[in-house]
Every structure is written in C-alpha cells, then in structure tokens.
mmCIF file of all heavy atoms in Angstrom:
data_model
loop_
_atom_site.group_PDB
_atom_site.id
_atom_site.type_symbol
_atom_site.label_atom_id
_atom_site.label_comp_id
_atom_site.label_asym_id
_atom_site.label_seq_id
_atom_site.Cartn_x
_atom_site.Cartn_y
_atom_site.Cartn_z
ATOM 1 N N MET A 1 13.424 0.905 -8.718
ATOM 2 C CA MET A 1 13.069 -0.347 -9.378
ATOM 3 C C MET A 1 13.454 -1.550 -8.517
ATOM 4 O O MET A 1 12.664 -2.481 -8.353
ATOM 5 C CB MET A 1 13.736 -0.439 -10.751
ATOM 6 C CG MET A 1 13.127 0.495 -11.773
ATOM 7 S SD MET A 1 13.981 0.533 -13.360
ATOM 8 C CE MET A 1 14.264 -1.161 -13.706
ATOM 9 N N VAL A 2 14.644 -1.541 -7.950
ATOM 10 C CA VAL A 2 15.102 -2.651 -7.121
ATOM 11 C C VAL A 2 14.254 -2.749 -5.858
ATOM 12 O O VAL A 2 13.855 -3.844 -5.447
ATOM 13 C CB VAL A 2 16.606 -2.502 -6.785
ATOM 14 C CG1 VAL A 2 17.033 -3.475 -5.702
ATOM 15 C CG2 VAL A 2 17.440 -2.692 -8.038
ATOM 16 N N ARG A 3 13.944 -1.625 -5.242
ATOM 17 C CA ARG A 3 13.123 -1.622 -4.024
ATOM 18 C C ARG A 3 11.733 -2.187 -4.313
ATOM 19 O O ARG A 3 11.220 -3.023 -3.559
ATOM 20 C CB ARG A 3 13.014 -0.202 -3.475
ATOM 21 C CG ARG A 3 12.222 -0.114 -2.200
ATOM 22 C CD ARG A 3 12.278 1.313 -1.639
ATOM 23 N NE ARG A 3 11.517 1.398 -0.427
ATOM 24 C CZ ARG A 3 10.291 1.915 -0.359
ATOM 25 N NH1 ARG A 3 9.715 2.399 -1.441
ATOM 26 N NH2 ARG A 3 9.650 1.956 0.786
ATOM 27 N N GLY A 4 11.100 -1.737 -5.388
ATOM 28 C CA GLY A 4 9.784 -2.245 -5.753
ATOM 29 C C GLY A 4 9.808 -3.732 -6.055
ATOM 30 O O GLY A 4 8.903 -4.475 -5.660
ATOM 31 N N LEU A 5 10.851 -4.180 -6.728
ATOM 32 C CA LEU A 5 10.984 -5.605 -7.045
ATOM 33 C C LEU A 5 11.175 -6.435 -5.778
ATOM 34 O O LEU A 5 10.596 -7.516 -5.647
ATOM 35 C CB LEU A 5 12.150 -5.818 -8.013
ATOM 36 C CG LEU A 5 12.344 -7.225 -8.545
ATOM 37 C CD1 LEU A 5 11.121 -7.671 -9.340
ATOM 38 C CD2 LEU A 5 13.589 -7.294 -9.412
ATOM 39 N N ARG A 6 11.961 -5.931 -4.823
ATOM 40 C CA ARG A 6 12.171 -6.651 -3.565
ATOM 41 C C ARG A 6 10.875 -6.759 -2.767
ATOM 42 O O ARG A 6 10.581 -7.803 -2.188
ATOM 43 C CB ARG A 6 13.241 -5.968 -2.724
ATOM 44 C CG ARG A 6 14.641 -6.142 -3.303
ATOM 45 C CD ARG A 6 15.695 -5.594 -2.391
ATOM 46 N NE ARG A 6 15.753 -6.448 -1.205
ATOM 47 C CZ ARG A 6 16.207 -6.045 -0.037
ATOM 48 N NH1 ARG A 6 16.633 -4.819 0.114
ATOM 49 N NH2 ARG A 6 16.252 -6.867 0.972
ATOM 50 N N ILE A 7 10.089 -5.682 -2.711
ATOM 51 C CA ILE A 7 8.807 -5.721 -2.002
ATOM 52 C C ILE A 7 7.864 -6.711 -2.674
ATOM 53 O O ILE A 7 7.220 -7.531 -2.011
ATOM 54 C CB ILE A 7 8.172 -4.317 -1.924
ATOM 55 C CG1 ILE A 7 9.002 -3.416 -1.001
ATOM 56 C CG2 ILE A 7 6.725 -4.388 -1.452
ATOM 57 C CD1 ILE A 7 8.600 -1.961 -1.024
ATOM 58 N N TRP A 8 7.779 -6.661 -3.987
ATOM 59 C CA TRP A 8 6.910 -7.565 -4.743
ATOM 60 C C TRP A 8 7.319 -9.020 -4.522
ATOM 61 O O TRP A 8 6.470 -9.877 -4.263
ATOM 62 C CB TRP A 8 6.963 -7.196 -6.219
ATOM 63 C CG TRP A 8 6.105 -8.034 -7.101
ATOM 64 C CD1 TRP A 8 4.754 -7.956 -7.254
ATOM 65 C CD2 TRP A 8 6.548 -9.089 -7.956
ATOM 66 N NE1 TRP A 8 4.334 -8.890 -8.158
ATOM 67 C CE2 TRP A 8 5.410 -9.608 -8.608
ATOM 68 C CE3 TRP A 8 7.792 -9.637 -8.237
ATOM 69 C CZ2 TRP A 8 5.500 -10.647 -9.505
ATOM 70 C CZ3 TRP A 8 7.861 -10.672 -9.141
ATOM 71 C CH2 TRP A 8 6.717 -11.164 -9.765
ATOM 72 N N MET A 9 8.617 -9.309 -4.606
ATOM 73 C CA MET A 9 9.096 -10.674 -4.400
ATOM 74 C C MET A 9 8.887 -11.121 -2.951
ATOM 75 O O MET A 9 8.538 -12.280 -2.697
ATOM 76 C CB MET A 9 10.576 -10.783 -4.781
ATOM 77 C CG MET A 9 10.810 -10.696 -6.273
ATOM 78 S SD MET A 9 12.557 -10.647 -6.743
ATOM 79 C CE MET A 9 13.160 -12.148 -6.040
ATOM 80 N N GLY A 10 9.094 -10.222 -1.991
ATOM 81 C CA GLY A 10 8.868 -10.548 -0.588
ATOM 82 C C GLY A 10 7.408 -10.879 -0.310
ATOM 83 O O GLY A 10 7.102 -11.817 0.428
ATOM 84 N N ASN A 11 6.493 -10.108 -0.899
ATOM 85 C CA ASN A 11 5.069 -10.408 -0.735
ATOM 86 C C ASN A 11 4.718 -11.751 -1.357
ATOM 87 O O ASN A 11 3.951 -12.530 -0.780
ATOM 88 C CB ASN A 11 4.209 -9.304 -1.350
ATOM 89 C CG ASN A 11 4.148 -8.073 -0.491
ATOM 90 O OD1 ASN A 11 4.372 -8.118 0.707
ATOM 91 N ND2 ASN A 11 3.853 -6.947 -1.105
ATOM 92 N N ASN A 12 5.252 -12.038 -2.536
ATOM 93 C CA ASN A 12 4.969 -13.316 -3.189
ATOM 94 C C ASN A 12 5.517 -14.490 -2.394
ATOM 95 O O ASN A 12 4.937 -15.575 -2.403
ATOM 96 C CB ASN A 12 5.529 -13.337 -4.614
ATOM 97 C CG ASN A 12 4.726 -12.480 -5.550
ATOM 98 O OD1 ASN A 12 3.594 -12.119 -5.269
ATOM 99 N ND2 ASN A 12 5.316 -12.145 -6.678
ATOM 100 N N ALA A 13 6.638 -14.299 -1.701
ATOM 101 C CA ALA A 13 7.240 -15.382 -0.921
ATOM 102 C C ALA A 13 6.550 -15.570 0.428
ATOM 103 O O ALA A 13 6.707 -16.610 1.059
ATOM 104 C CB ALA A 13 8.732 -15.108 -0.706
ATOM 105 N N SER A 14 5.787 -14.577 0.876
ATOM 106 C CA SER A 14 5.104 -14.674 2.164
ATOM 107 C C SER A 14 3.896 -15.585 2.054
ATOM 108 O O SER A 14 3.289 -15.722 0.997
ATOM 109 C CB SER A 14 4.633 -13.287 2.623
ATOM 110 O OG SER A 14 5.716 -12.433 2.828
ATOM 111 N N GLU A 15 3.552 -16.172 3.185
ATOM 112 C CA GLU A 15 2.369 -17.026 3.203
ATOM 113 C C GLU A 15 1.111 -16.156 3.265
ATOM 114 O O GLU A 15 1.140 -15.034 3.758
ATOM 115 C CB GLU A 15 2.407 -17.975 4.395
ATOM 116 C CG GLU A 15 2.337 -17.278 5.746
ATOM 117 C CD GLU A 15 2.350 -18.255 6.898
ATOM 118 O OE1 GLU A 15 1.292 -18.813 7.208
ATOM 119 O OE2 GLU A 15 3.442 -18.440 7.450
ATOM 120 N N VAL A 16 0.002 -16.693 2.757
ATOM 121 C CA VAL A 16 -1.286 -16.015 2.845
ATOM 122 C C VAL A 16 -1.829 -16.262 4.248
ATOM 123 O O VAL A 16 -1.942 -17.401 4.687
ATOM 124 C CB VAL A 16 -2.264 -16.532 1.770
ATOM 125 C CG1 VAL A 16 -3.620 -15.885 1.926
ATOM 126 C CG2 VAL A 16 -1.693 -16.274 0.380
ATOM 127 N N VAL A 17 -2.124 -15.166 4.971
ATOM 128 C CA VAL A 17 -2.533 -15.250 6.365
ATOM 129 C C VAL A 17 -3.990 -14.810 6.492
ATOM 130 O O VAL A 17 -4.396 -13.808 5.905
ATOM 131 C CB VAL A 17 -1.638 -14.347 7.249
ATOM 132 C CG1 VAL A 17 -2.075 -14.389 8.698
ATOM 133 C CG2 VAL A 17 -0.183 -14.732 7.103
ATOM 134 N N LYS A 18 -4.772 -15.567 7.269
ATOM 135 C CA LYS A 18 -6.149 -15.198 7.600
ATOM 136 C C LYS A 18 -6.220 -15.008 9.107
ATOM 137 O O LYS A 18 -5.811 -15.886 9.861
ATOM 138 C CB LYS A 18 -7.133 -16.286 7.158
ATOM 139 C CG LYS A 18 -7.266 -16.402 5.667
ATOM 140 C CD LYS A 18 -8.345 -17.396 5.303
ATOM 141 C CE LYS A 18 -8.465 -17.440 3.778
ATOM 142 N NZ LYS A 18 -9.649 -18.187 3.365
ATOM 143 N N ARG A 19 -6.713 -13.833 9.535
ATOM 144 C CA ARG A 19 -6.768 -13.509 10.958
ATOM 145 C C ARG A 19 -8.099 -12.853 11.284
ATOM 146 O O ARG A 19 -8.665 -12.122 10.467
ATOM 147 C CB ARG A 19 -5.663 -12.514 11.328
ATOM 148 C CG ARG A 19 -4.236 -12.928 11.008
ATOM 149 C CD ARG A 19 -3.690 -13.985 11.922
ATOM 150 N NE ARG A 19 -3.703 -13.629 13.309
ATOM 151 C CZ ARG A 19 -2.698 -13.088 13.964
ATOM 152 N NH1 ARG A 19 -1.584 -12.806 13.350
ATOM 153 N NH2 ARG A 19 -2.820 -12.812 15.247
ATOM 154 N N ALA A 20 -8.567 -13.075 12.518
ATOM 155 C CA ALA A 20 -9.716 -12.348 13.040
ATOM 156 C C ALA A 20 -9.224 -10.967 13.458
ATOM 157 O O ALA A 20 -8.232 -10.853 14.189
ATOM 158 C CB ALA A 20 -10.316 -13.086 14.218
ATOM 159 N N VAL A 21 -9.891 -9.915 12.982
ATOM 160 C CA VAL A 21 -9.421 -8.552 13.217
ATOM 161 C C VAL A 21 -10.588 -7.616 13.485
ATOM 162 O O VAL A 21 -11.755 -7.950 13.259
ATOM 163 C CB VAL A 21 -8.614 -8.009 12.011
ATOM 164 C CG1 VAL A 21 -7.362 -8.810 11.764
ATOM 165 C CG2 VAL A 21 -9.469 -7.951 10.769
ATOM 166 N N ILE A 22 -10.225 -6.419 13.946
ATOM 167 C CA ILE A 22 -11.151 -5.298 14.084
ATOM 168 C C ILE A 22 -10.542 -4.128 13.323
ATOM 169 O O ILE A 22 -9.342 -3.865 13.425
ATOM 170 C CB ILE A 22 -11.339 -4.893 15.554
ATOM 171 C CG1 ILE A 22 -11.922 -6.060 16.354
ATOM 172 C CG2 ILE A 22 -12.225 -3.667 15.679
ATOM 173 C CD1 ILE A 22 -11.988 -5.802 17.842
ATOM 174 N N VAL A 23 -11.342 -3.415 12.540
ATOM 175 C CA VAL A 23 -10.872 -2.205 11.854
ATOM 176 C C VAL A 23 -10.789 -1.103 12.905
ATOM 177 O O VAL A 23 -11.792 -0.750 13.520
ATOM 178 C CB VAL A 23 -11.836 -1.800 10.717
ATOM 179 C CG1 VAL A 23 -11.390 -0.493 10.087
ATOM 180 C CG2 VAL A 23 -11.931 -2.900 9.675
ATOM 181 N N VAL A 24 -9.572 -0.587 13.140
ATOM 182 C CA VAL A 24 -9.393 0.427 14.188
ATOM 183 C C VAL A 24 -9.113 1.824 13.633
ATOM 184 O O VAL A 24 -9.267 2.807 14.358
ATOM 185 C CB VAL A 24 -8.277 0.034 15.188
ATOM 186 C CG1 VAL A 24 -8.710 -1.178 15.998
ATOM 187 C CG2 VAL A 24 -6.966 -0.217 14.494
ATOM 188 N N ASP A 25 -8.722 1.936 12.363
ATOM 189 C CA ASP A 25 -8.449 3.260 11.809
ATOM 190 C C ASP A 25 -8.430 3.191 10.292
ATOM 191 O O ASP A 25 -8.145 2.139 9.710
ATOM 192 C CB ASP A 25 -7.115 3.792 12.325
ATOM 193 C CG ASP A 25 -6.951 5.296 12.097
ATOM 194 O OD1 ASP A 25 -7.978 5.979 11.896
ATOM 195 O OD2 ASP A 25 -5.809 5.779 12.128
ATOM 196 N N LYS A 26 -8.750 4.301 9.684
ATOM 197 C CA LYS A 26 -8.664 4.460 8.226
ATOM 198 C C LYS A 26 -8.027 5.813 7.950
ATOM 199 O O LYS A 26 -8.249 6.761 8.688
ATOM 200 C CB LYS A 26 -10.063 4.438 7.607
ATOM 201 C CG LYS A 26 -10.796 3.124 7.741
ATOM 202 C CD LYS A 26 -12.255 3.230 7.332
ATOM 203 C CE LYS A 26 -12.429 3.729 5.922
ATOM 204 N NZ LYS A 26 -13.831 3.713 5.476
ATOM 205 N N ARG A 27 -7.217 5.867 6.902
ATOM 206 C CA ARG A 27 -6.628 7.156 6.530
ATOM 207 C C ARG A 27 -6.408 7.211 5.026
ATOM 208 O O ARG A 27 -6.353 6.182 4.357
ATOM 209 C CB ARG A 27 -5.328 7.430 7.272
ATOM 210 C CG ARG A 27 -4.156 6.607 6.829
ATOM 211 C CD ARG A 27 -2.883 6.980 7.590
ATOM 212 N NE ARG A 27 -1.773 6.142 7.202
ATOM 213 C CZ ARG A 27 -0.898 6.454 6.251
ATOM 214 N NH1 ARG A 27 -0.992 7.596 5.596
ATOM 215 N NH2 ARG A 27 0.090 5.628 5.955
ATOM 216 N N THR A 28 -6.281 8.423 4.527
ATOM 217 C CA THR A 28 -5.965 8.639 3.120
ATOM 218 C C THR A 28 -4.722 9.491 3.022
ATOM 219 O O THR A 28 -4.393 10.248 3.943
ATOM 220 C CB THR A 28 -7.115 9.344 2.382
ATOM 221 O OG1 THR A 28 -7.369 10.599 3.003
ATOM 222 C CG2 THR A 28 -8.371 8.509 2.373
ATOM 223 N N GLU A 29 -4.042 9.364 1.920
ATOM 224 C CA GLU A 29 -2.864 10.191 1.637
ATOM 225 C C GLU A 29 -3.036 10.740 0.229
ATOM 226 O O GLU A 29 -3.104 9.977 -0.738
ATOM 227 C CB GLU A 29 -1.592 9.360 1.739
ATOM 228 C CG GLU A 29 -0.341 10.135 1.460
ATOM 229 C CD GLU A 29 0.906 9.269 1.557
ATOM 230 O OE1 GLU A 29 0.794 8.046 1.722
ATOM 231 O OE2 GLU A 29 1.999 9.838 1.437
ATOM 232 N N VAL A 30 -3.145 12.055 0.116
ATOM 233 C CA VAL A 30 -3.309 12.708 -1.178
ATOM 234 C C VAL A 30 -1.970 13.278 -1.591
ATOM 235 O O VAL A 30 -1.304 13.956 -0.809
ATOM 236 C CB VAL A 30 -4.380 13.821 -1.107
ATOM 237 C CG1 VAL A 30 -4.545 14.492 -2.461
ATOM 238 C CG2 VAL A 30 -5.697 13.255 -0.620
ATOM 239 N N TRP A 31 -1.555 13.014 -2.827
ATOM 240 C CA TRP A 31 -0.268 13.505 -3.315
ATOM 241 C C TRP A 31 -0.421 13.941 -4.764
ATOM 242 O O TRP A 31 -1.303 13.498 -5.476
ATOM 243 C CB TRP A 31 0.832 12.461 -3.154
ATOM 244 C CG TRP A 31 0.476 11.089 -3.611
ATOM 245 C CD1 TRP A 31 -0.266 10.153 -2.951
ATOM 246 C CD2 TRP A 31 0.843 10.488 -4.854
ATOM 247 N NE1 TRP A 31 -0.376 9.006 -3.695
ATOM 248 C CE2 TRP A 31 0.291 9.181 -4.867
ATOM 249 C CE3 TRP A 31 1.570 10.917 -5.950
ATOM 250 C CZ2 TRP A 31 0.457 8.323 -5.938
ATOM 251 C CZ3 TRP A 31 1.739 10.044 -7.008
ATOM 252 C CH2 TRP A 31 1.191 8.763 -6.993
ATOM 253 N N GLY A 32 0.451 14.864 -5.166
ATOM 254 C CA GLY A 32 0.383 15.430 -6.515
ATOM 255 C C GLY A 32 -0.666 16.521 -6.574
ATOM 256 O O GLY A 32 -1.092 17.075 -5.572
ATOM 257 N N GLY A 33 -1.078 16.849 -7.778
ATOM 258 C CA GLY A 33 -2.172 17.785 -7.967
ATOM 259 C C GLY A 33 -1.790 19.237 -8.074
ATOM 260 O O GLY A 33 -2.644 20.101 -7.996
ATOM 261 N N SER A 34 -0.527 19.550 -8.270
ATOM 262 C CA SER A 34 -0.158 20.951 -8.432
ATOM 263 C C SER A 34 -0.231 21.339 -9.906
ATOM 264 O O SER A 34 0.004 20.526 -10.795
ATOM 265 C CB SER A 34 1.243 21.201 -7.883
ATOM 266 O OG SER A 34 2.187 20.465 -8.630
ATOM 267 N N GLY A 35 -0.602 22.562 -10.142
ATOM 268 C CA GLY A 35 -0.687 23.029 -11.524
ATOM 269 C C GLY A 35 -1.785 22.317 -12.287
ATOM 270 O O GLY A 35 -2.919 22.225 -11.840
ATOM 271 N N ASP A 36 -1.442 21.786 -13.456
ATOM 272 C CA ASP A 36 -2.418 21.109 -14.295
ATOM 273 C C ASP A 36 -2.466 19.599 -14.065
ATOM 274 O O ASP A 36 -3.216 18.895 -14.725
ATOM 275 C CB ASP A 36 -2.107 21.358 -15.779
ATOM 276 C CG ASP A 36 -2.357 22.806 -16.171
ATOM 277 O OD1 ASP A 36 -3.172 23.455 -15.482
ATOM 278 O OD2 ASP A 36 -1.751 23.276 -17.141
ATOM 279 N N SER A 37 -1.674 19.079 -13.141
ATOM 280 C CA SER A 37 -1.666 17.634 -12.916
ATOM 281 C C SER A 37 -2.764 17.241 -11.926
ATOM 282 O O SER A 37 -3.155 18.023 -11.065
ATOM 283 C CB SER A 37 -0.306 17.161 -12.404
ATOM 284 O OG SER A 37 -0.058 17.690 -11.128
ATOM 285 N N SER A 38 -3.256 16.031 -12.062
ATOM 286 C CA SER A 38 -4.330 15.578 -11.185
ATOM 287 C C SER A 38 -3.747 15.025 -9.885
ATOM 288 O O SER A 38 -2.606 14.573 -9.845
ATOM 289 C CB SER A 38 -5.157 14.497 -11.882
ATOM 290 O OG SER A 38 -4.353 13.384 -12.183
ATOM 291 N N ALA A 39 -4.555 15.056 -8.845
ATOM 292 C CA ALA A 39 -4.145 14.533 -7.542
ATOM 293 C C ALA A 39 -4.388 13.029 -7.498
ATOM 294 O O ALA A 39 -5.271 12.503 -8.168
ATOM 295 C CB ALA A 39 -4.914 15.226 -6.426
ATOM 296 N N ASN A 40 -3.599 12.335 -6.703
ATOM 297 C CA ASN A 40 -3.755 10.895 -6.489
ATOM 298 C C ASN A 40 -4.014 10.670 -5.014
ATOM 299 O O ASN A 40 -3.472 11.365 -4.156
ATOM 300 C CB ASN A 40 -2.481 10.151 -6.903
ATOM 301 C CG ASN A 40 -2.191 10.312 -8.369
ATOM 302 O OD1 ASN A 40 -2.947 9.855 -9.206
ATOM 303 N ND2 ASN A 40 -1.093 10.992 -8.688
ATOM 304 N N THR A 41 -4.817 9.678 -4.715
ATOM 305 C CA THR A 41 -5.142 9.361 -3.333
ATOM 306 C C THR A 41 -4.795 7.909 -3.048
ATOM 307 O O THR A 41 -5.165 7.022 -3.814
ATOM 308 C CB THR A 41 -6.641 9.598 -3.043
ATOM 309 O OG1 THR A 41 -6.968 10.944 -3.399
ATOM 310 C CG2 THR A 41 -6.960 9.375 -1.575
ATOM 311 N N SER A 42 -4.067 7.688 -1.961
ATOM 312 C CA SER A 42 -3.772 6.339 -1.480
ATOM 313 C C SER A 42 -4.623 6.101 -0.242
ATOM 314 O O SER A 42 -4.815 7.000 0.582
ATOM 315 C CB SER A 42 -2.289 6.207 -1.125
ATOM 316 O OG SER A 42 -1.495 6.433 -2.262
ATOM 317 N N TYR A 43 -5.132 4.879 -0.102
ATOM 318 C CA TYR A 43 -6.031 4.525 0.994
ATOM 319 C C TYR A 43 -5.383 3.469 1.881
ATOM 320 O O TYR A 43 -4.816 2.502 1.367
ATOM 321 C CB TYR A 43 -7.352 3.988 0.441
ATOM 322 C CG TYR A 43 -8.077 4.980 -0.425
ATOM 323 C CD1 TYR A 43 -7.867 5.020 -1.801
ATOM 324 C CD2 TYR A 43 -8.963 5.888 0.130
ATOM 325 C CE1 TYR A 43 -8.525 5.942 -2.597
ATOM 326 C CE2 TYR A 43 -9.631 6.819 -0.663
ATOM 327 C CZ TYR A 43 -9.402 6.834 -2.026
ATOM 328 O OH TYR A 43 -10.052 7.753 -2.803
ATOM 329 N N TYR A 44 -5.489 3.644 3.194
ATOM 330 C CA TYR A 44 -4.889 2.726 4.151
ATOM 331 C C TYR A 44 -5.892 2.393 5.247
ATOM 332 O O TYR A 44 -6.657 3.256 5.685
ATOM 333 C CB TYR A 44 -3.646 3.346 4.804
ATOM 334 C CG TYR A 44 -2.571 3.714 3.815
ATOM 335 C CD1 TYR A 44 -2.524 4.980 3.252
ATOM 336 C CD2 TYR A 44 -1.610 2.785 3.434
ATOM 337 C CE1 TYR A 44 -1.534 5.313 2.328
ATOM 338 C CE2 TYR A 44 -0.627 3.111 2.521
ATOM 339 C CZ TYR A 44 -0.600 4.384 1.969
ATOM 340 O OH TYR A 44 0.363 4.708 1.065
#
C-alpha cells in the first residue's frame, strides 16, 4: 500500500512531458491463470 501510494504521489508531482519519440519495442507480461483463475496481461 505504501509503495503504491508513493508511486502514485510521485507521478502526480511530476511534470507532464511531451517528447518526440520512436516506438522501438513492445512486450506483454502474462500473470496468473492457474487452475480456475483467469490470466491477466500487462502491456508495455
């Protein structure tokens, strides 16, 4: 809980940045899904 709150507060305190970029990679992370539970996918 403290870690999540610190990340959330740190993001809110950061400035909004706009940059010219190129997409160089994409990846997914699948977690969970054993037994009767559903899998979750995170996208990066």
Side-chain angles (χ1 to χ4, degrees):
M1 288 175 45
V2 168
R3 182 174 180 259
L5 185 62
R6 289 186 69 204
I7 291 171
W8 181 77
M9 289 174 58
N11 283 338
N12 287 342
S14 297
E15 65 179 279
V16 176
V17 178
K18 291 185 178 191
R19 303 286 302 266
V21 297
I22 299 173
V23 176
V24 292
D25 196 20
K26 295 170 57 175
R27 72 178 177 93
T28 59
E29 180 181 6
V30 180
W31 47 281
S34 64
D36 291 335
S37 66
S38 61
N40 297 295
T41 305
S42 299
Y43 300 91
Y44 300 91

